[in-house]
Amino acid sequence: MALSSPSAAPSPWTAPQSHFVSAAADSLPHLPDVEDLVPAAHALTDIYPSGAISAHQAARWAALRDCFRALYDRPISFVARTPGRVNLIGEHIDYSWFPVLPMAMPQDVLVAVAIVPDTDPAADERIVLSNVQSALYPTRVFNTRDFFDPVSNLPVAAPSSDNTPEIDWSSYFLTGLRGALTFSKLCISSSTTFMALPTMRILVDGEIPAPGLSASSALVCATLLAMLTAIHVPLVEKSFLFNSAAMSERALGMNSGGMDQAAFVYGLRDHAMLVDFRPLVSARPVRVVLDHDDTESPNLCFVLANTLVRVANRAETGPDLFNVRVVEATLAAEILARRYNVGRLEIRDGFGGTLRGFYDKVCQSEGWSMGNQASEEHAVREVVRRIREMFDREAYTLEETAEMLGISVQDMVSQYMTRFPIRAKKLNLRDRAVHVIEEQLRAKAFSALFASAFAAYRNHTLATAAPYFDALGSLMNASHDSLARLFECSCPEADALTKIARTHGAAGSRMTGIGWGGFTISIVQADRVEEVISALRTEFYDKWYPELTSEEIGRAVFQIEPANGTVLVPMENFKCG
Ligand code: GLA
């Protein structure tokens, strides 16, 4: 299949749906609620869970401050901080617009900025971008004048010989910067002169373990917030940051669904976020840490384990893996809608219809009520039956797929495979669609179970809580098995890690995130965490990666608690201790 060059693709820059848009258009002042704004943090306790983590963070933030001064001979003005994300359940369904349940983690990326005023003799119209890990991520220098027209003039990545963008660490910074310049125009009223970029000194410190916990997307989001602040955009709304970060990222060629950015922006300590995408984006907190201090009562913990599979960055693997799955899910939805005559599907982000659109339309026309477990189980069974009836085999060629869509191959390629290029000769529409429809029910059931476990928690003993934990675990296990078998995005390492965790006491275990490597997440009753971690060390890391030191294994398998989302930290009075 011919690949289009990224420069020939239509622009992914479409306006985000934000209150700022209507404020600018109507010129009526829009006053957001405080809880809708990206918060400012004034102490480490505003950001991180208590305990060992804050001791580590105190040392890290103090070191960042010292390193910045040593490097640039001036203090940090502010820091934009974005966490990594871990998805509990609802994998590969956000781009089909179904709800997902991610959480923000304590590990994060910090973008520390000093603005050099024009009157300062050091104002040289340059942006110096450095990284604490300078050997891995070398310093880059940009000229502020090069960013005058962010949309047309600024390449974030140069196309390589085979047309995939060549990405280095600064591409994510440039993506966030370009997003800030583009989208800030929507929230600065027409009477306000556009703010030019000031001279800046920047130092990045990232601690999100790679790959698979969205470290690079977190850098885009933190940069966006930092650059909005640098050009004096007041009061950044969470919905604005979410939309701008999700859309900016698409410039790198990934047709992602928004789950990562929702976790970054809306994340809340002790909670996972039930993120829905229809009718508007919403994030509802689901409490998943039952009680910190009460060690006698039942409590669930989260253990992460790194597969340590080396994968290229997302932008490079997108055309072979991630973007192919998005196309398969989208085309399955469009073909099903046509075959079952449900009418036109609402289009996601200018791309195509969604399986959520198809599912909702079928449920509506059949009168199956939503929010009722038995009815939804019935709906899922029926919709899966229709999917299997429509797609009687595993793989279809592009010609066969276009025929089912009722359009030419050329039209199909230009509509669905050009803005986000893919390299695939055959598409598996059936298994991808079945996974999405079944996984969305698992995600809903999982959230409902956690909510009821928490409501009943005070009255639980370990014995009476066990059925909840078993049910949650079974849903996670089923999710993993479906991702491995139907969605084909697991890997032998993730399969082994989940199996070992389950055998040694985890209530449930699954791959998390995009897959093809990355991390697994296990939910484990508090009194069995040690046993699970020790089994993963000896039965997985010692066997699969015998060269690793004990310290390296410690960095690969660890427990996490859900943490707060993105914050802006003005450094003047910030307490590092
Ligand atoms: C990546 C994407 C997300 C989501 C996950 C899989 O992280 O960026 O939007 O699709 O994969 O659930």
Side-chain angles (χ1 to χ4, degrees):
M1 189 193 69
L3 284 171
S4 72
S5 95
S7 56
S11 165
W13 301 96
T14 43
Q17 294 169 350
S18 154
H19 294 302
F20 279 117
V21 179
S22 50
D26 301 337
S27 66
L28 284 175
H30 161 72
L31 297 177
D33 290 336
V34 171
E35 63 269 22
D36 295 336
L37 297 173
V38 174
H42 301 285
L44 285 176
T45 46
D46 294 343
I47 308 175
Y48 301 106
S50 52
I53 287 178
S54 56
H56 160 71
Q57 293 299 351
R60 175 185 175 222
W61 278 72
L64 180 72
R65 200 145 66 173
D66 295 348
C67 180
F68 197 97
R69 194 175 268 286
L71 200 59
Y72 296 131
D73 196 22
R74 59 184 59 241
I76 303 172
S77 315
F78 59 84
V79 174
R81 177 261 176 193
T82 294
R85 72 94 186 87
V86 179
N87 190 20
L88 269 179
I89 199 162
E91 210 68 80
H92 283 283
I93 62 172
D94 59 345
Y95 47 82
S96 291
W97 266 347
F98 280 116
V100 292
L101 193 68
M103 52 196 194
M105 51 194 294
Q107 288 84 348
D108 54 20
V109 60
L110 308 176
V111 176
V113 181
I115 308 285
V116 183
D118 286 347
T119 49
D120 191 314
D124 55 5
E125 298 188 332
R126 290 188 318 153
I127 299 170
V128 182
L129 172 71
S130 298
N131 197 299
V132 165
Q133 299 182 63
S134 54
L136 278 178
Y137 308 111
T139 295
R140 299 280 311 267
V141 179
F142 307 100
N143 192 317
T144 55
R145 286 171 179 270
D146 292 344
F147 298 85
F148 190 68
D149 181 351
V151 178
S152 59
N153 278 349
L154 178 66
V156 291
S160 68
S161 48
D162 68 349
N163 274 335
T164 50
E166 235 158 57
I167 302 285
D168 89 328
W169 80 281
S170 65
S171 305
Y172 301 102
F173 171 83
L174 290 176
T175 302
L177 171 52
R178 182 162 112 153
L181 293 175
T182 306
F183 296 122
S184 62
K185 290 187 172 166
L186 299 167
C187 53
I188 293 176
S189 77
S190 48
S191 58
T192 315
T193 320
F194 178 68
M195 295 293 299
L197 275 178
T199 295
M200 282 184 276
R201 303 292 180 254
I202 300 176
L203 183 59
V204 173
D205 181 10
E207 270 207 333
I208 304 168
L213 303 176
S214 282
S216 44
S217 307
L219 176 54
V220 173
C221 183
T223 302
L224 231 154
L225 177 61
M227 295 300 105
L228 288 170
T229 310
I231 56 173
H232 304 293
V233 172
L235 306 181
V236 177
E237 279 190 61
K238 289 179 181 173
S239 62
F240 179 79
L241 185 63
F242 162 79
N243 278 304
S244 312
M247 255 172 294
S248 300
E249 172 113 8
R250 298 204 180 116
L252 285 168
M254 277 269 299
N255 192 357
S256 41
M259 169 178 80
D260 309 339
Q261 292 77 14
F264 300 156
V265 174
Y266 296 102
L268 187 61
R269 188 179 295 173
D270 296 339
H271 296 78
M273 306 306 293
L274 184 59
V275 178
D276 200 354
F277 301 91
R278 293 325 289 146
L280 288 173
V281 175
S282 62
R284 275 181 294 152
V286 176
R287 183 151 182 150
V288 293
V289 173
L290 302 183
D291 199 319
H292 286 283
D293 307 319
D294 182 357
T295 45
E296 299 300 304
S297 300
N299 212 354
L300 274 184
C301 300
F302 305 99
V303 174
L304 292 188
N306 195 338
T307 60
L308 297 174
V309 173
R310 285 190 193 285
V311 279
N313 67 59
R314 289 150 157 245
E316 280 164 17
T317 56
D320 299 296
L321 305 172
F322 184 80
N323 289 346
V324 181
R325 295 294 180 273
V326 182
V327 166
E328 288 171 324
T330 305
L331 295 186
E334 299 269 12
I335 292 167
L336 287 162
R338 186 163 185 262
R339 158 77 174 77
Y340 291 102
N341 260 325
V342 298
R344 286 186 74 80
L345 300 180
E346 192 187 349
I347 303 297
R348 179 183 75 91
D349 299 330
F351 188 68
T354 63
L355 283 163
R356 164 86 175 262
F358 173 69
Y359 180 80
D360 284 355
K361 284 202 175 220
V362 173
C363 290
Q364 206 178 13
S365 67
E366 297 285 350
W368 297 327
S369 61
M370 295 292 179
N372 163 317
Q373 195 187 336
S375 178
E376 288 222 31
E377 279 171 4
H378 173 74
V380 165
R381 267 197 310 277
E382 274 304 304
V383 171
V384 166
R385 189 182 60 70
R386 282 169 210 200
I387 294 170
R388 294 193 184 284
E389 184 178 77
M390 173 70 227
F391 306 117
D392 58 1
R393 63 201 137 96
E394 219 176 63
Y396 292 90
T397 62
L398 297 193
E399 290 70 24
E400 289 166 337
T401 308
E403 198 183 326
M404 289 188 285
L405 269 176
I407 59 177
S408 69
V409 178
Q410 289 84 339
D411 285 351
M412 182 176 82
V413 169
S414 88
Q415 207 173 323
Y416 302 101
M417 303 170 189
T418 301
R419 180 170 144 203
F420 302 100
I422 69 165
R423 285 184 286 255
K425 291 200 165 63
K426 291 198 163 187
L427 300 172
N428 183 340
L429 306 167
R430 182 191 65 195
D431 293 348
R432 313 309 184 218
V434 171
H435 165 78
V436 170
I437 296 298
E438 292 180 343
E439 178 77 354
Q440 59 90 21
L441 186 59
R442 284 190 284 268
K444 278 185 204 153
F446 191 92
S447 314
L449 262 169
F450 244 123
S452 54
F454 187 71
Y457 153 72
R458 296 252 164 239
N459 304 322
H460 275 306
T461 62
L462 281 177
T464 59
Y468 279 111
F469 295 171
D470 289 347
L472 288 164
S474 306
L475 289 165
M476 285 185 93
N477 296 345
S479 167
H480 182 84
D481 296 343
S482 175
L483 288 159
R485 201 169 47 82
L486 298 178
F487 222 71
E488 294 178 283
C489 63
S490 183
C491 60
E493 291 81 353
D495 296 343
L497 283 165
T498 50
K499 196 166 164 213
I500 296 165
R502 291 175 201 171
T503 312
H504 289 275
S509 187
R510 57 183 289 277
M511 55 154 275
T512 179
I514 190 168
W516 297 288
F519 275 76
T520 61
I521 178 166
S522 306
I523 52 170
V524 188
Q525 166 60 38
D527 61 352
R528 303 200 69 177
V529 168
E530 283 313 311
E531 184 185 342
V532 169
I533 290 184
S534 141
L536 291 172
R537 290 183 82 108
T538 53
E539 293 188 23
F540 181 77
Y541 293 101
D542 287 351
K543 289 190 184 148
W544 291 61
Y545 296 102
E547 71 284 5
L548 291 187
T549 63
S550 175
E551 210 189 331
E552 285 167 331
I553 299 179
R555 283 199 295 273
V557 55
F558 52 90
Q559 196 184 330
I560 60 150
E561 279 178 36
N564 284 336
T566 297
V567 290
L568 185 73
V569 186
M571 286 301 279
E572 239 170 39
N573 298 315
F574 186 72
K575 292 184 221 56
C576 286

